[in-house]
Amino acid sequence: MNFLAKRQRPMSTRLHPAEVLYQGLDNTRPFPTLNACEHYAGSEKLIGKALALQAKLGPIFDITCDCEDGAPAGREREHAEMVAARIMSDANRFGRVGARIHDITHPHWRDDLDIIIGKAGERIAYIVLPKVRDIDDVLAQHAIVTAVQRKRGYDRPIPLHVLIETPGALREAWQIAALPAVESLDFGLMDFVSAHHGAIPASAMRSPGQFQHPLIARAKCEIAAAALGSGIVPTHNVSVEIRDPAVAREDARRAREEFGYLRMWSIHPSQIQPIVDAMRPNFAEVTEAAEILLTAQDADWGPIQLAGKLHDRASFRYYWELLSRANATGMALPDIAQQRFFAQ
């Protein structure tokens, strides 16, 4: 049987990479496939604009509805109810809308969870926990998440994205990243700088200082290492320049190429596409990944030789995660790879 004929086998006889590539790896969970850009929106108007843009561009970025900085003082309940309604609305076409709640020292954080999970627990994509001081804060908030789910009769796990923006959280980043509920470690640059009592200059809140100051570079490396070492996604901080999209693109490129980040925040619609573009894998690598995985699938995931190189499940996992990231950023994949691996 020639190679092309083998590729004509019925789909039902082929095993999907997610079914086989992580079998027998006790300490390895499938790497989360998250969009490369996470766009923050606080007000109802801005959330609506973000949902409209997501509908236009497709699910190449996530939307985080912000209760922490977005809720007017004294109207936290109304804001959380609005967020829950937007998550449950028809405008949320792709189910990729999450929420950032208030931090654990704020009196409304429990109400945020009760309202948002109570009304939108079936559709919320993730919950962002800001300003955690240590792993105990994460565990305490996760306990309320599960309690609200139990009370409402929901059993779908809701991923947590944990903001590392205090020295205490950075010290315990590896323990936090290892928690089963955590899907992403996010770097909160502004609050991290502020937490150093003036020892770090304001220039470290923007480029190029944010990539050069030793304490900031150390924090970025530690967060990325903890996330990637625990099989979850490291998410980079915002770019404060909102007038020049090229700055956000360059910040995203440096975050990916120099520090290992796979996702980045956006705070303005003009930043979304530049971030997605900069976070995309190399096109040549994507084409190679598709060929390797198609060949491996036809060989029932046994070792293969392609272009004079031997590949087995270790390299298959690398190329599968690369191809998944390419798909999440909206890159055009070979038709047969799209059909086999990502067809709905």
Side-chain angles (χ1 to χ4, degrees), residues 162-175:
V162 180
L163 257 166
I164 306 297
E165 47 191 341
T166 68
L170 180 64
R171 183 175 59 248
E172 300 186 10
W174 282 86
Q175 296 97 305

Side-chain angles (χ1 to χ4, degrees), residues 37-88:
C37 180
E38 178 181 351
H39 179 65
Y40 268 72
S43 70
E44 185 170 13
K45 177 181 178 181
L46 294 178
I47 293 170
K49 286 186 174 182
L51 286 166
L53 184 60
Q54 191 185 58
K56 177 182 178 181
L57 298 179
I60 63 170
F61 68 96
D62 291 345
I63 299 169
T64 298
C65 302
D66 192 7
C67 292
E68 185 190 25
D69 292 335
R75 296 182 56 197
E76 291 88 355
R77 173 170 290 276
E78 292 91 335
H79 191 83
E81 289 173 346
M82 179 274 294
V83 166
R86 298 303 285 174
I87 292 171
M88 292 301 293

